[in-house]
Amino acid sequence: KTVADVIKQFRELEDDISSIEAGLIPVPGYSTSLSSSAFTLEWGSGHGFDGFKQSSGAGGRKPPPGRPNEQERKKGVPWTEEEHKLFLMGLKKYGKGDWRNISRNYVITRTPTQVASH
């Protein structure tokens, strides 16, 4: 990307954050209970990350030893509204990509990997 591209993207992000903080864009309703308003990402049983169904025949592979299969994997804990607000504040200060500092200084309840994924 050129410097102009980066500046343009930064300004667009600033505008987005300003719109969110002004209440023009609703913050997703993160909650601990499963409801129709909760945002979750479900991959569906038997699908890989590419969205294609994994084969279960002779060519199918089992997970490596010590790694649980999809059904046994832990599900992520939904973000609270407070964590989301802290994330946005950290994003505004450090920018996209500095997940470690956002995690260390703003969303201390989440790892840098969780912050980047969010």
Side-chain angles (χ1 to χ4, degrees):
K1 291 185 176 185
T2 67
V3 172
D5 290 335
V6 173
I7 291 171
K8 179 178 179 261
Q9 183 177 7
F10 180 79
R11 290 202 174 120
E12 288 172 358
L13 288 171
E14 281 185 316
D15 291 342
D16 289 346
I17 291 170
S18 295
S19 296
I20 292 167
E21 289 175 344
L24 301 174
I25 299 173
V27 176
Y30 298 108
S31 67
T32 55
S33 65
L34 292 176
S35 66
S36 61
S37 65
F39 176 80
T40 58
L41 181 60
E42 300 280 335
W43 282 103
S45 171
H47 289 78
F49 288 109
D50 57 4
F52 294 103
K53 195 160 189 157
Q54 293 177 342
S55 67
S56 55
R61 292 190 293 166
K62 292 182 180 179
R67 182 171 177 185
N69 67 27
E70 260 187 79
Q71 288 80 20
E72 295 171 358
R73 291 179 63 183
K74 283 186 183 179
K75 300 291 182 194
V77 177
W79 283 51
T80 64
E81 191 171 337
E82 181 64 19
E83 286 174 319
H84 183 69
K85 286 179 183 176
L86 291 169
F87 169 79
L88 292 175
M89 289 168 43
L91 186 64
K92 187 173 186 176
K93 179 170 182 175
Y94 293 109
K96 185 178 177 182
D98 197 350
W99 312 124
R100 182 179 295 158
N101 274 322
I102 294 171
S103 173
R104 284 182 181 168
N105 301 311
Y106 282 88
V107 193
I108 60 172
T109 55
R110 301 289 177 157
T111 66
T113 301
Q114 289 172 316
V115 170
S117 175
H118 185 68

